[in-house]
Amino acid sequence: MSAPARVAATASKSQLAYEWLHDRIVSGSLAPGARLVLAQVAAELDVSVVPVREAVRRLEAEGLVTFEKNIGATVAGIDPVEYLYTMQTLSIVEGAATALSAHAVGPSDIATARAVNARMRAMAEDPQHFDPVQFTRLNHEFHSVLFEHCPNPHILDLVHRGWNRLTALRGSTFSFVPERAGESVAEHEGLLALIERGASSEEIELAARRHRSATLDAYLASTGAHPNFPVL
Amino acid sequence: MSAPARVAATASKSQLAYEWLHDRIVSGSLAPGARLVLAQVAAELDVSVVPVREAVRRLEAEGLVTFEKNIGATVAGIDPVEYLYTMQTLSIVEGAATALSAHAVGPSDIATARAVNARMRAMAEDPQHFDPVQFTRLNHEFHSVLFEHCPNPHILDLVHRGWNRLTALRGSTFSFVPERAGESVAEHEGLLALIERGASSEEIELAARRHRSATLDAYLASTGAHPNFPVL
DNA sequence: GGCAGGCACTTCGTATACGATTTTCGTATA
DNA sequence: TATACGAAAATCGTATACGAAGTGCCTGCC
């Protein structure tokens, strides 16, 4: 009778709304551009609009939704320019996080990452069963192992936000540029080798950054976008 | 969110509360650790608590206040560890922003920056009239000229947030390490020379990052903190 | 005199209500 | 038929109100 409601005993309504919306956005249930009507969301969750407003504000601060005065909220996304900005930002903060994290990445982490990369390789080498969404998920898993030990929580938070935005944008770069998958897997192995042999922070950071920049470049090339954008 | 000064023509109450609190926090009128009672703020601004709650949530997302369920909001700050994290993050994003911005920095910008730096030098060379707060303000002005042209709004926003946090933390590093002022001015000139002669992005980024890291190091050394923290 | 329990006060969390603003749709006119 | 005007609907913005959670003081007992 009250079983399902038990779990969220200590969660505030505002937190509930935030998590609900967040999950739906990153999972894609709420497509980019979708309108978020406060009253509707409130009714769906059986709460009033006030907590929902707060949740939307927080999501706005994270860049997952846009919000206009007297107009309403919509799920952010789509815009290729936003994608570019997000990828570029992520290349910088993720590179830094990976470098800062490297010294704490142990053999077991390396093994985990290598196992994930093996699955990615298998998928990349078999065009028949290549699934961009799944591949992107594995990609996220791989990189998470490498940057998750970053001792600076601010940087780590920026990395998480970047990934969330990318997921929300639903670019799933590998849908556009499947041929990039193979290179990506190879670069992953190179990154692991660097960490394994205790390379310098600078080397690791540069490699991680280049890896992401290369994915962005591949995307830009595929869309015929201006290559005049200064990529670090 | 990025520019604190907003033309508040049709500002909502929520926006008003946000700006009011934001200004008071970065200006130091609200000291770190100060308790923010929603009802009090609401009364002060002659609005209800609802817009104030929203404003506080936004400030929380920016790291300017901390907020605990059923407890309330307090102005963030004080914690030396937070200061360290913020400086390290800023070293990375500001370095990137400065590098991305460099190609758009023209002779007039250089001249402006050099003028600011001259005022800093004058202050640094005269220990009698050295004012840490004023010096920090000039420092902000100097760097703003160099990173403000960054074409990536996300990165620029991160830089602004970092500076805001630093201001709020009121560390004003130069209060702790006034002897750092001289080196700082010299490094500024070096940075300008790099930009002027059209140095590579990598060089500029590294110089800007090192510049900030050095300030952080000076602070850490002065407090006898662990130097084991991996500084990139 | 010190500690435990309970009562009162403060502050937050959310629901409801109403005014403000924007959009949409219907109608009348050129 | 197309366009301009206006009213109605939808949605947001904020005030007020009440219940919930936390904090501190005060009393009574050991």
Side-chain angles (χ1 to χ4, degrees):
Chain A
M1 349 175 200
S2 61
R6 279 244 165 202
V7 200
T10 56
S12 69
K13 306 280 182 79
S14 167
Q15 183 68 15
L16 173 70
Y18 172 79
E19 288 167 7
W20 192 84
L21 287 169
H22 187 279
D23 289 352
R24 301 238 163 177
I25 292 173
V26 300
S27 78
S29 307
L30 284 169
R35 184 99 188 278
L36 290 181
V37 179
L38 299 185
Q40 284 179 6
V41 177
E44 182 89 21
L45 292 171
D46 198 40
V47 300
S48 83
V49 295
V50 181
V52 176
R53 279 183 67 88
E54 251 185 52
V56 168
R57 284 297 202 190
R58 285 174 61 188
L59 291 166
E60 184 195 16
E62 291 182 36
L64 290 181
V65 311
T66 60
F67 195 71
E68 279 179 281
K69 175 177 160 66
N70 282 323
I71 303 291
T74 58
V75 178
I78 301 178
D79 190 350
V81 176
E82 274 301 302
Y83 176 76
L84 192 157
Y85 289 153
T86 303
M87 280 291 274
Q88 192 180 32
T89 306
L90 193 54
S91 80
I92 290 160
V93 295
E94 190 188 27
T98 303
L100 286 171
S101 178
H103 73 96
V105 172
S108 68
D109 294 315
I110 297 278
T112 302
R114 201 160 260 146
V116 173
N117 202 37
R119 293 169 64 194
M120 294 178 76
R121 181 179 293 112
M123 198 179 267
E125 288 172 349
D126 179 7
Q128 314 296 345
H129 296 89
F130 183 75
D131 173 3
V133 174
Q134 180 65 11
F135 191 83
T136 299
R137 196 191 316 278
L138 288 171
N139 192 38
H140 189 170
E141 203 177 328
F142 175 87
H143 285 287
S144 292
V145 175
L146 299 190
F147 64 64
E148 213 52 68
H149 289 100
C150 174
N152 186 326
H154 290 185
I155 296 174
L156 198 49
D157 187 49
L158 294 181
V159 175
H160 286 148
R161 291 192 185 191
W163 273 99
N164 278 340
R165 282 183 66 99
L166 279 187
T167 313
L169 293 175
R170 206 129 193 90
S172 182
T173 318
F174 299 107
S175 303
F176 298 95
V177 202
E179 64 273 20
R180 165 78 186 141
E183 302 169 27
S184 189
V185 168
E187 289 171 18
H188 284 176
E189 184 49 41
L191 199 50
L192 288 177
L194 277 181
I195 295 173
E196 225 170 8
R197 75 152 205 263
S200 71
S201 288
E202 287 80 2
E203 274 185 288
I204 294 170
E205 178 172 12
L206 194 61
R209 186 187 287 195
R210 283 267 167 75
H211 170 58
R212 185 147 305 284
S213 292
T215 299
L216 175 56
D217 288 343
Y219 168 78
L220 291 178
S222 81
T223 61
H226 337 276
N228 67 352
F229 211 94
V231 177
L232 221 50
Chain B
M1 228 169 298
S2 33
R6 277 267 165 96
V7 202
T10 59
S12 66
K13 306 281 182 79
S14 167
Q15 184 69 13
L16 173 71
Y18 172 81
E19 288 168 7
W20 192 84
L21 286 170
H22 187 279
D23 288 352
R24 301 237 161 179
I25 292 173
V26 300
S27 77
S29 307
L30 284 169
R35 184 99 188 277
L36 291 181
V37 179
L38 299 185
Q40 284 179 5
V41 177
E44 184 86 21
L45 292 171
D46 199 40
V47 300
S48 82
V49 295
V50 181
V52 178
R53 280 184 65 87
E54 251 185 54
V56 168
R57 284 297 200 190
R58 284 175 61 187
L59 292 166
E60 183 194 15
E62 291 181 37
L64 290 181
V65 309
T66 60
F67 195 72
E68 279 180 280
K69 175 177 161 64
N70 283 322
I71 302 290
T74 58
V75 179
I78 302 178
D79 192 349
V81 176
E82 273 302 300
Y83 176 75
L84 191 157
Y85 289 153
T86 304
M87 279 291 274
Q88 191 179 34
T89 306
L90 192 56
S91 79
I92 291 161
V93 296
E94 190 188 28
T98 303
L100 287 170
S101 177
H103 74 96
V105 172
S108 68
D109 295 314
I110 298 278
T112 303
R114 201 160 260 148
V116 173
N117 202 37
R119 294 170 62 194
M120 295 178 75
R121 180 179 293 111
M123 199 179 266
E125 288 172 350
D126 179 8
Q128 314 295 348
H129 297 88
F130 182 74
D131 174 2
V133 173
Q134 181 64 11
F135 191 83
T136 299
R137 195 191 317 278
L138 288 170
N139 192 39
H140 189 171
E141 203 178 327
F142 175 87
H143 285 287
S144 291
V145 175
L146 300 190
F147 64 64
E148 212 53 66
H149 289 100
C150 174
N152 185 325
H154 289 185
I155 296 174
L156 198 50
D157 188 49
L158 294 182
V159 176
H160 286 147
R161 291 192 185 191
W163 274 98
N164 279 340
R165 283 183 65 98
L166 278 188
T167 312
L169 294 174
R170 207 124 194 93
S172 183
T173 318
F174 298 106
S175 303
F176 298 96
V177 203
E179 64 273 20
R180 166 79 186 139
E183 302 168 27
S184 190
V185 168
E187 288 171 20
H188 284 176
E189 182 50 41
L191 200 49
L192 287 177
L194 277 181
I195 296 173
E196 225 169 9
R197 75 153 206 262
S200 71
S201 289
E202 288 81 1
E203 274 185 286
I204 293 170
E205 176 171 13
L206 194 61
R209 185 187 288 195
R210 284 267 166 76
H211 170 58
R212 185 147 305 284
S213 293
T215 300
L216 176 55
D217 289 342
Y219 168 78
L220 290 177
S222 81
T223 61
H226 337 276
N228 66 354
F229 210 93
V231 178
L232 221 51

